[in-house]
Amino acid sequence: MAEKSKILVIGATGYIGKFLVEAAAKLGHQTFALVRETAVSDPVKGKLIESFKASGVTIIHGDLHDHDSLVKAVKQVDVVISAIAFQHVLDQSKILDAIKEAGNVKRFIPSEFGNDVDRTHAVEPAKTNFAEKAKVRRAIEAHGIPYTYIFTGCFAGYFLPALAQLPGGTAPPREKVIILGDGTPKAVFNCEQDIATYTIKTVDDPRTVNKTLYIKPPHNVHSLNDLVALWEKKIDKVLEKIHVSEEDVLKQIQEAPVPLNFIMSIRYSVFITGDQTNFEIEPSFGHEASQLYPDVKYTTVDEYLDQFV
């Protein structure tokens, strides 16, 4: 059996980054986390960094804006995974520069972790962010850097505690629920640990080179109506449903402040235009994760919601 790739995670202390670091270490990869020196003194990030060390992860001090530190970090690994925040997507050009100079990387996974940005019908401000991610894709391809793009659908930890209502809720509603549009477009909801596991599985898999991995396991594809019905069954109660028309959703996005308008525009893409499920996955450009890796026991939406009953 070939030796497992060495993996560098950039954005290691971020929302999805920490799960990627943990999954890489757990699956037996020599794992490196790029963190700023200032992160160590941050109470939350510092604690996280200590937990990384405890699981055998090598901490590398560096910065996206320090080219030499990036090149030095990249030279130590085979695979680079970017998990930087959506506001800094275009800064990944700096990672590409470092990868080109280092010359040893056999796979790059850019920070996507959401919709397939080449197959979207988004409105602003999400439209611009998706266009930026697509621009990074084209740059990766132009540089000839081997890549895997990761489609995750919705983060379960972000969407499911509030049953896909606006974020902030810590438990699903028990009286009334807001349905965007007619509630029928299907979306995908995946547990963060599973997203990380599937992502790490791709790094040494020749089937995923220059392809998109779609994490769309069958039990995690649900419309808003499906979600509500599932929840109603669990609590044995019918909720009052308030439907918001597409026209009203668009109006609300335009009137909402930053960053709420961004969140709402993502929800429009997911629940109105059905951007996560309105296309077929073709072998020419991608594979579905649960089919490629049937050994991964993923958390279903049904199981995830049990914790709130």
Side-chain angles (χ1 to χ4, degrees):
M1 188 176 159
E3 196 178 327
K4 292 190 173 187
S5 288
K6 297 173 185 173
I7 298 173
L8 171 69
V9 179
I10 298 173
T13 58
Y15 182 78
I16 198 68
K18 58 183 177 288
F19 294 105
L20 292 162
V21 172
E22 287 160 8
K26 194 175 174 183
L27 289 171
H29 292 270
Q30 197 175 337
T31 307
F32 299 76
L34 185 80
V35 298
R36 290 193 194 98
E37 287 192 39
T38 52
V40 183
S41 54
D42 180 284
V44 177
K45 289 180 179 177
K47 202 174 174 183
L48 195 56
I49 290 164
E50 287 308 311
S51 77
F52 289 165
K53 286 179 183 173
S55 57
V57 174
T58 302
I59 304 301
I60 300 178
H61 292 299
D63 194 298
L64 207 52
H65 302 285
D66 178 351
H67 178 71
D68 292 341
S69 74
L70 263 188
V71 173
K72 192 177 171 186
V74 168
K75 278 184 175 175
Q76 298 180 60
V77 299
D78 311 297
V79 173
V80 177
I81 302 177
S82 170
I84 65 173
F86 73 89
Q87 306 96 314
H88 307 297
V89 163
L90 290 177
D91 285 340
Q92 290 178 109
S93 62
K94 296 173 171 55
I95 301 173
L96 298 185
D97 290 341
I99 288 172
K100 285 299 284 181
E101 184 170 327
N104 59 296
V105 169
K106 66 177 192 183
R107 194 81 66 97
F108 176 50
I109 297 176
S111 188
E112 299 233 339
F113 307 108
N115 288 9
D116 181 345
V117 296
D118 283 333
R119 293 169 176 82
T120 181
H121 307 82
V123 295
E124 293 295 2
K127 186 177 182 179
T128 293
N129 179 251
F130 290 171
E132 288 174 349
K133 287 182 176 180
K135 188 177 178 182
V136 172
R137 285 187 175 194
R138 302 296 85 83
I140 294 166
E141 293 155 12
H143 281 308
I145 296 166
Y147 63 83
T148 302
Y149 303 141
I150 308 289
F151 165 99
T152 64
C154 303
F155 291 147
Y158 198 79
F159 279 82
L160 293 183
L163 206 68
Q165 303 296 289
L166 276 173
T170 52
R174 288 178 180 259
E175 299 298 330
K176 56 188 176 185
V177 63
I178 291 169
I179 307 278
L180 304 184
D182 64 7
T184 60
K186 302 273 186 184
V188 187
F189 305 89
N190 288 308
C191 186
E192 288 78 352
Q193 286 89 343
D194 298 338
I195 288 168
T197 299
Y198 282 126
T199 300
I200 301 304
K201 283 271 192 180
T202 68
V203 302
D204 288 322
D205 187 347
R207 296 172 297 178
T208 58
V209 178
N210 298 344
K211 296 280 173 76
T212 299
L213 182 79
Y214 293 91
I215 306 175
K216 295 173 81 170
H219 296 294
N220 288 358
V221 180
H222 297 278
S223 67
L224 267 178
N225 291 342
D226 295 337
L227 267 189
V228 172
L230 194 60
W231 179 241
E232 287 177 330
K233 192 176 175 186
K234 285 188 185 297
I235 62 172
D236 194 24
K237 183 180 181 180
V238 176
L239 303 181
E240 179 192 343
K241 290 150 192 90
I242 301 160
H243 284 265
V244 183
S245 70
E246 178 175 354
E247 189 183 359
D248 283 342
V249 173
L250 289 168
K251 190 165 179 277
Q252 287 172 6
I253 293 167
Q254 287 174 345
E255 293 171 354
V258 178
L260 185 60
N261 61 343
F262 180 76
I263 294 163
M264 291 169 75
S265 63
I266 295 281
R267 283 160 52 81
Y268 176 86
S269 168
V270 174
F271 299 116
I272 300 280
T273 62
D275 275 354
Q276 295 185 346
T277 55
N278 60 11
F279 59 90
E280 294 297 318
I281 301 168
E282 302 287 346
S284 60
F285 62 79
H287 301 284
E288 197 284 307
S290 66
Q291 290 178 5
L292 274 195
Y293 311 113
D295 56 312
V296 175
K297 167 69 182 81
Y298 68 89
T299 302
T300 67
V301 168
D302 195 5
E303 291 165 343
Y304 194 93
L305 288 175
D306 282 340
Q307 66 186 296
F308 302 109
V309 178

